[in-house]
Amino acid sequence: MSTNRYPIIYVRGYAMTESERDETAADPFCGFNIGSTVYRATVKKEAPAQKFVFESPMVRLLADFQYQSVYQNGLDILDPDWKPSPDANGNDVDGIPSASVIIYRYYDSGSELLGDGKAKDVKVYAQGLSQLILRVRDLVVQREGPSGFTADDFRCYLVAHSMGGLVVRAFLQNPALGDAKARACVDKVFTYATPHNGIDMGGINVPAWLTVNEMNTFNRDKMSEFLATPAVNGRMDYLPAAAFPPERFFCMVGTNRGDYETAKGLSRMFAGHGSDGLVRIENASLWAVDDAGKTQPVATAYTYRSHSGYFGIVNSEEAYQNLTRFLFGDVRVDLWFDVDGVTLPPDLPKDADVDALYQVELLAAPRGKRWYLSRRIAEEDSPACRTHKELTDPATAARRSIYLSTVFLANRARVKQDRPTLAYAMTLGVRVPDYQVNNKFWLDGHYEGSSLFRDTLIIEIAPPQPGDPAENWNVKYGWQTDTAGRASLPMSPKQLASGKLQFVVPLSSLGAAPAAPGISGKVRLEVSAWE
């Protein structure tokens, strides 16, 4: 069982109409209690879904980590008449336990059931989040204080879906929208399908003049104003490192537009390919920028899930596993692919103007599970892409280091399986690109769907034992084609200034294409202990 079970505050997504706000206000858990029994296993729409029961994030947090809700006698903690329930022995107690799930019910005032029926500005929601955090802090300190728990020790997790992530960012990034003491309480932030760079429909950003139901919340100029953060190259999907530690932020990105049924399919049509049906994939993650202008990716994982609905990202096993590993896991692994070089087909015309788009795919699966921690596939519009010029021009050398995803691993899974190591499989693939010669598609020698490289890397990690030196990690690897799926080759780490250990794995020779065209490089793993 995790020892860092801080309160989880859930911030739901956008409810556009009055009826949607009423529906939200009528739900005690604002959608966090909705599960699923179906799993889309194929991109073919006519194929039936597989049955896969996921009880809901709320139920699983209660069952797996013994969290509890804070509703008592029909009231929530913001009601002045709310009182905690007696303990197991029937004794009266104060406050709430640290392992509590609190729903930020910011749409109550915007419903006709409990309010005036009018949507509020995102700034109002951000200020309300600040007040809620301080209320939760006071109640947890009341309950946990006798064992030495103080207000300075208090921490909480923020978990947000869609626009809820923008509410969280407004609270964290804009000093005018909350109390600094409340911001200091936030330990980690997890977002599902948040439009960190706004929403584009038909390739056009939601206009600033579209003020009905606060729809302009997703306009980038409007975002810059409520985030108190200027755009960088016209984009808002970056997190100033001074606002919040970027290593403690996680973005869960959905890639399945086909199963998003809102507005009878019009939303997914206008959002287009490369979206979850509402938010474009390229707009759903973050980069961090420090005061010196140095950038780094925020931890990100991808899943073939839609923005919401039966196949939604929140009510999915994949997203839940990423959530709990991020909150309670033990090991963090950042996955990179460093490209050393690419070779062209030998019969391409010499001295021609050649370009191509290389698509890098990733499947990251923990041992013994039926789902992926991260899934980036060309057919699902989610691979990492680089052009031929980016991989060959010395002026763009930095683009050859390609961030793929971050996975978190948990010792509880290793203990449950009675295995001495944490292990997962990482399938890496690079599609043969569509070569363009003098701006025309080159057909000679082209085979659709073939790969420059494709192989599965097995990683087994044994973190240091208690009392061992921090660098005493035992990590082994093996490419499936070279070692029959066994991790038997030891890896020597390099200590990084960040405190992480870096492991470099050359690409397997058998996983590569037998001749030109080809690609050379290495997988780079940055590994560190995680809470």
Side-chain angles (χ1 to χ4, degrees):
M1 185 185 302
S2 173
T3 57
N4 54 333
R5 293 184 300 156
Y6 299 139
I8 294 173
I9 299 177
Y10 174 65
V11 188
R12 71 149 284 147
Y14 178 58
M16 182 174 69
T17 65
E18 185 178 303
S19 63
E20 288 175 347
R21 293 192 292 275
D22 286 346
E23 183 179 353
T24 299
D27 184 343
F29 298 101
C30 296
F32 206 47
N33 53 315
I34 297 176
S36 175
T37 60
V38 290
Y39 182 82
R40 179 66 73 194
T42 175
V43 297
K44 294 181 179 179
K45 192 68 177 178
E46 66 274 11
Q50 292 183 354
K51 185 176 180 180
F52 186 94
V53 177
F54 173 67
E55 303 95 308
S56 81
M58 189 71 206
V59 171
R60 288 289 292 276
L61 285 168
L62 270 62
D64 296 348
F65 298 95
Q66 290 72 59
Y67 270 76
Q68 67 179 52
S69 70
V70 295
Y71 298 125
Q72 296 295 337
N73 299 315
L75 302 174
D76 66 32
I77 61 174
L78 293 181
D79 193 297
D81 296 324
W82 178 90
K83 293 181 180 180
S85 62
D87 63 18
N89 297 318
N91 300 315
D92 289 337
V93 293
D94 293 325
I96 61 176
S98 183
S100 296
V101 176
I102 298 93
I103 307 300
Y104 178 28
R105 301 185 54 84
Y106 64 91
Y107 271 131
D108 284 3
S109 65
S111 74
E112 276 216 332
L113 296 175
L114 301 174
D116 58 13
K118 297 179 181 179
K120 307 297 189 295
D121 189 274
V122 68
K123 293 180 181 179
V124 176
Y125 302 146
Q127 292 168 332
L129 178 59
S130 177
Q131 296 164 9
L132 176 62
I133 290 172
L134 294 179
R135 170 66 170 159
V136 173
R137 179 200 64 182
D138 293 345
L139 290 172
V140 170
V141 170
Q142 286 180 27
R143 172 71 67 91
E144 310 286 359
S147 59
F149 199 99
T150 69
D152 292 336
D153 300 325
F154 174 80
R155 296 293 183 270
C156 66
Y157 302 133
L158 301 183
V159 177
H161 175 229
S162 192
M163 191 193 77
L166 299 184
V167 174
V168 169
R169 285 183 62 195
F171 157 67
L172 291 174
Q173 292 178 223
N174 191 338
L177 300 182
D179 193 311
K181 293 180 180 178
R183 283 190 288 274
C185 293
V186 180
D187 186 68
K188 295 174 186 172
V189 177
F190 185 98
T191 63
Y192 302 91
T194 288
H196 289 294
N197 190 46
I199 288 179
D200 298 323
M201 288 290 168
I204 300 174
N205 187 212
V206 172
W209 52 260
L210 194 59
T211 57
V212 59
N213 291 319
E214 302 298 326
M215 290 181 68
N216 63 348
T217 298
F218 310 107
N219 172 266
R220 284 185 271 277
D221 290 336
K222 172 76 171 178
M223 290 173 63
S224 178
E225 188 261 329
F226 67 70
L227 293 176
T229 306
V232 174
N233 298 322
R235 300 186 66 87
M236 292 304 303
D237 52 350
Y238 76 96
L239 177 71
F244 188 77
E247 65 275 7
R248 306 189 77 76
F249 207 112
F250 191 105
C251 300
M252 194 75 213
V253 180
T255 65
N256 177 8
R257 67 186 281 269
D259 286 319
Y260 190 59
E261 298 296 340
T262 294
K264 297 183 178 180
L266 287 176
S267 174
R268 66 169 179 256
M269 181 181 73
F270 285 106
H273 290 284
S275 74
D276 63 8
L278 179 63
V279 179
R280 294 194 60 78
I281 295 170
E282 62 186 12
N283 290 339
S285 58
L286 282 172
W287 284 76
V289 181
D290 63 19
D291 293 338
K294 184 178 179 181
T295 63
Q296 69 179 86
V298 168
T300 305
Y302 301 77
T303 181
Y304 188 60
R305 287 282 175 168
S306 62
H307 191 77
S308 61
Y310 297 139
F311 302 93
I313 191 170
V314 177
N315 52 319
S316 71
E317 184 76 32
E318 301 95 322
Y320 172 78
Q321 293 295 336
N322 276 281
L323 169 67
T324 56
R325 281 164 164 76
F326 173 66
L327 296 184
F328 313 121
D330 305 286
V331 175
R332 172 180 178 143
V333 185
D334 299 308
L335 309 176
W336 294 78
F337 176 43
D338 295 331
V339 178
D340 293 334
V342 293
T343 55
L344 294 170
D347 48 351
L348 272 176
K350 304 299 181 184
D351 301 322
D353 181 17
V354 177
D355 204 1
L357 185 69
Y358 296 85
Q359 300 179 88
V360 183
E361 300 179 320
L362 169 74
L363 296 171
R367 179 174 54 200
K369 304 300 181 182
R370 295 177 55 196
W371 34 261
Y372 297 109
L373 286 172
S374 195
R375 169 175 168 143
R376 308 188 67 176
I377 301 295
E379 287 82 1
E380 298 164 12
D381 303 314
S382 56
C385 296
R386 294 292 186 274
T387 66
H388 182 73
K389 292 178 180 178
E390 286 177 317
L391 297 182
T392 56
D393 189 340
T396 58
R399 296 285 288 166
R400 300 180 194 177
S401 291
I402 304 171
Y403 170 71
L404 297 178
S405 261
T406 297
V407 297
F408 292 87
L409 305 174
N411 275 325
R412 66 181 182 277
R414 175 179 61 84
V415 173
K416 187 175 181 179
Q417 296 176 5
D418 194 25
R419 302 290 289 269
T421 59
L422 299 167
Y424 68 96
M426 171 185 170
T427 299
L428 178 69
V430 183
R431 294 289 187 96
V432 172
D434 294 338
Y435 295 104
Q436 296 182 37
V437 177
N438 299 327
N439 296 319
K440 294 182 179 180
F441 178 48
W442 181 73
L443 287 170
D444 295 351
H446 175 81
Y447 294 93
E448 187 69 24
S450 56
S451 299
L452 298 176
F453 177 86
R454 186 165 300 276
D455 206 345
T456 299
L457 179 66
I458 308 297
I459 304 290
E460 291 203 14
I461 300 174
Q465 296 296 314
D468 288 349
E471 68 277 4
N472 194 20
W473 290 69
N474 183 2
V475 180
K476 294 182 179 180
Y477 76 96
W479 288 104
Q480 194 170 48
T481 54
D482 291 340
T483 62
R486 295 180 60 85
S488 57
L489 303 175
M491 303 172 71
S492 299
K494 175 184 177 182
Q495 185 79 42
L496 300 178
S498 62
K500 295 182 178 180
L501 297 180
Q502 177 179 282
F503 297 88
V504 175
V505 182
L507 298 187
S508 69
S509 58
L510 295 178
I519 191 165
S520 60
K522 49 190 173 291
V523 173
R524 175 160 51 94
L525 312 173
E526 293 186 358
V527 181
S528 59
W530 183 251
E531 297 299 323

